[in-house]
Amino acid sequence: MNNRVARVAVAAALGAFAVAVAGYIEAKGAVGMELTSKSFTDRGAIPRVHTCQGADTAPALAWSRAPKGTKSFALIVDDPDAPDPAAPKMTWVHWVLYNIPASATSLPEGVTKTGLPAGTREGENDWKQPGWRGPCPPIGRHRYFFKIYALDTVLPDLGTPTRAALEKAMRGHVLDHAELIGTYQKSS
């Protein structure tokens, strides 16, 4: 009987400890941000509608658990497998957004400049234009990294920055980030 009481006491103490640790982690923001899409799952295939073989519309994105002190978000979408996943030579940029308001938690499917949250600014993709340009890999299955950054500031007007210019401006201001990866391979 004493062994049983001791085991119950140990189990209760361990349970209380686990709850306390989980609460501490959540309070400190150690759980981290999360980025998801209704359009595709993490490491799943990006639907054709979001590519050059379809309507080339932006996928839906949603993020959560931004840390306290977040003043704005930035989004970068790129393909590190260009031009050939077997022999990548460059990272191709598909979308650059910054100064997404801290109150925003999502972007709807098909969003264009006019539908972006107020104050959001567009950067330049590698087609030398603002806005979303979807996957269009010349060969093989490519990975597309969707990265959302929580910033401790609203950035100054950067014009239409490249990914590199935005990353430079964000330096020292990133509180947390989350990543979602989609894949795509052209079909005949």
Side-chain angles (χ1 to χ4, degrees), residues 69-146:
T70 299
K71 303 283 190 246
S72 70
F73 297 100
L75 176 74
I76 297 173
V77 180
D78 57 31
D79 167 10
D81 298 325
D84 180 352
K89 291 185 170 57
M90 64 177 300
T91 299
W92 191 262
V93 179
H94 289 263
W95 207 9
V96 176
L97 296 175
Y98 70 101
N99 286 348
I100 301 168
S103 59
T105 57
S106 64
L107 296 173
E109 184 170 323
V111 71
T112 61
K113 182 178 183 172
T114 58
L116 291 170
T120 301
R121 304 292 307 256
E122 292 185 303
E124 183 179 273
N125 59 38
D126 278 344
W127 282 270
K128 306 293 183 211
Q129 54 191 220
W132 165 261
R133 288 293 300 270
C136 199
I139 185 170
R141 180 166 294 279
H142 288 226
R143 297 167 300 151
Y144 299 87
F145 288 70
F146 292 73

